[in-house]
Each structure stands twice: as structure tokens, then as C-alpha cells.
Amino acid sequence: DTEVTQTPKHLVMGMTNKKSLKCEQHMGHRAMYWYKQKAKKPPELMFVYSYEKLSINESVPSRFSPECPNSSLLNLHLHALQPEDSALYLCASSQVLTRSGTDTQYFGPGTRLTVL
Amino acid sequence: RKEVEQDPGPFNVPEGATVAFNCTYSNSASQSFFWYRQDCRKEPKLLMSVYSSGNEDGRFTAQLNRASQYISLLIRDSKLSDSATYLCVVTALKGGTSYGKLTFGQGTILTVHP
């Protein structure tokens, strides 16, 4: 089973709202990722967690705040977003992080976010 | 030069056709290579990893040429269900490590028609 789940599927929020995206996997993977994907573009890496610790932050604005409460869950807290933040937010997981990045990443279905 | 370059297409082919996608990457130290497919408004799904010896999975064959920094994907006997965007993906290295960072090509759009 290579399933990564994400909730909600769709989210509409105003620029003053606070919301959270959730991601869950039960494959025993110890590396989890957040990506952002705009229409007709490839996914862009935002954050990487390894063993529940933040490993990579790709200079993402502080209005995006990741959290990894345990090895199966990954959250992305959103606050004071801008309309240009509207995108598909994808979560992924892999077994572990390696120096060469050889582990396959499995993606969840994504949350389609619209910021009004 | 982009780190991973793909022909964006679109490729429009009839059912049963053979179609080939090409991809080049700029970092000679890249370690891992993948093809993902992404359907419209869906998540990327792993199609296959790419190995130096070449690998085949049913109608799909992937090749890697490290000397030329070139990856290919061949689809034989195309089906309507093969219509998707095909993403060439390479591990990105910085300072000799990647720690999970993938670099995606822009994707090649394939449409298979009856």
C-alpha cells in the first residue's frame, strides 16, 4: 500500500483566515514533504521533514508554517495568505532521506487551495 | 540552462502508436532518475525508476545515458489511458547531497486519440 492521504481536498480561504492542511501516511516512511504546484508547472519543493524534524526549508514565506506531530502526520498551517498562493499543495513521503536521494517519493492527491 | 529539460510537446498520437520522450539533465553528479505521470488536476504518480542498465515495465521502457546526461521513456502500443503529462525527475544535488530534493522537468503532454 503506497497511500498518502490529504485533507481537505479543496479549501477556499480569505486573506485574514487561518487554516491547516493535513497529510497522513501509514507506510512507516520517515521522510515527508510539502510541495506547491501552480497550473501547468511542475511541483516546487517547500519543506522536507526527516524523523519528525525539519530538514529543508526552501525559503518559504513565514505565512506557511509546517508541523510534524508524529511520524505519520504532517500539517501545513496557513495564515495571512495572498491570492498568488492559490495552488495545488501536495504532500509526499519516502522511506528515509539519503544523501543521494534515492528513495522514491509517493504523492498524496493534494489540496486545491484558493485564496480570495 | 535548466537543470532538467524536456520537450513540452504536446504529443498527439493515435492508439497503438509508439512514442518516445527525451529528457536531459545538467548536474553530472545526479544519482537517481524517475519518470512520473500526472493526470489533469491529479497528483504525480511514479511510473518507473530509471537505471543505467535500462528497464522495462510492460509497454514502457526507460533508458539512462549518464555520459550524455540523457534519459528517455518509450511507450509502445499507446492506449487512450496513457494520455497525461509525463514528468522527468532527477535528484537535485547541492554540495554533494540531495536529502530528498527532486528536480522536475516541465513535463511532456501526451494525448492519445482513437
Side-chain angles (χ1 to χ4, degrees), chain A residues 4-13 19-24 34-38 46 64 74-76 78 81 85-92 107-115, chain B residues 41-43:
Chain A
V4 178
T5 59
Q6 289 186 244
T7 55
K9 288 185 178 179
H10 301 274
L11 178 62
V12 179
M13 60 186 291
K19 297 285 185 184
S20 296
L21 309 184
K22 296 185 184 303
C23 173
E24 191 166 4
W34 280 115
Y35 289 84
K36 172 182 177 180
Q37 187 174 25
K38 303 283 274 186
M46 300 174 73
F64 295 92
L74 186 65
N75 298 322
L76 186 62
L78 314 172
L81 294 194
D85 296 322
S86 298
L88 179 67
Y89 288 84
L90 294 160
C91 174
F107 287 83
T111 293
R112 193 160 297 279
L113 174 68
T114 302
V115 182
Chain B
R41 300 179 71 80
K42 298 282 189 181
E43 75 275 22

Side-chain angles (χ1 to χ4, degrees), chain B residues 75-91:
Chain B
I75 305 175
R76 290 181 299 278
D77 189 23
S78 299
K79 312 289 185 192
L80 296 176
S81 56
D82 293 334
S83 297
T85 297
Y86 289 81
L87 295 162
C88 177
V89 183
V90 174
T91 50

Side-chain angles (χ1 to χ4, degrees), chain A residues 27-110:
Chain A
M27 296 179 278
H29 289 176
R30 302 312 297 270
M32 296 184 76
Y33 312 78
W34 280 115
Y35 289 84
K36 172 182 177 180
Q37 187 174 25
K38 303 283 274 186
K40 300 188 188 302
K41 297 288 187 182
E44 298 174 23
L45 183 67
M46 300 174 73
F47 302 104
V48 181
Y49 272 82
S50 175
Y51 290 88
E52 295 96 74
K53 293 193 190 313
L54 185 64
S55 175
I56 296 177
N57 176 340
E58 289 288 291
S59 302
V60 178
S62 60
R63 57 186 185 269
F64 295 92
S65 175
E67 178 198 19
C68 191
N70 62 53
S71 60
S72 300
L73 290 173
L74 186 65
N75 298 322
L76 186 62
H77 303 297
L78 314 172
H79 174 54
L81 294 194
Q82 304 296 312
E84 58 265 29
D85 296 322
S86 298
L88 179 67
Y89 288 84
L90 294 160
C91 174
S93 71
S94 66
Q95 283 194 331
V96 291
L97 284 191
T98 60
R99 285 177 61 90
S100 61
T102 52
D103 272 339
T104 302
Q105 293 185 24
Y106 297 94
F107 287 83

Side-chain angles (χ1 to χ4, degrees), chain B residues 23-98:
Chain B
C23 172
T24 58
Y25 60 95
S26 61
N27 190 332
S28 60
S30 295
Q31 294 287 330
S32 299
F33 310 89
F34 308 91
W35 284 102
Y36 279 76
R37 69 169 278 169
Q38 186 169 23
D39 294 286
C40 187
R41 300 179 71 80
K42 298 282 189 181
E43 75 275 22
K45 291 191 175 178
L46 178 70
L47 184 64
M48 54 201 309
S49 301
V50 188
Y51 305 114
S52 297
S53 54
N55 46 306
E56 187 174 312
D57 183 2
R59 298 182 292 108
F60 299 85
T61 301
Q63 298 275 354
L64 167 65
N65 185 321
R66 285 188 184 270
S68 302
Q69 295 177 211
Y70 170 89
I71 307 160
S72 65
L73 177 68
L74 184 74
I75 305 175
R76 290 181 299 278
D77 189 23
S78 299
K79 312 289 185 192
L80 296 176
S81 56
D82 293 334
S83 297
T85 297
Y86 289 81
L87 295 162
C88 177
V89 183
V90 174
T91 50
L93 296 179
K94 191 172 183 181
T97 62
S98 75

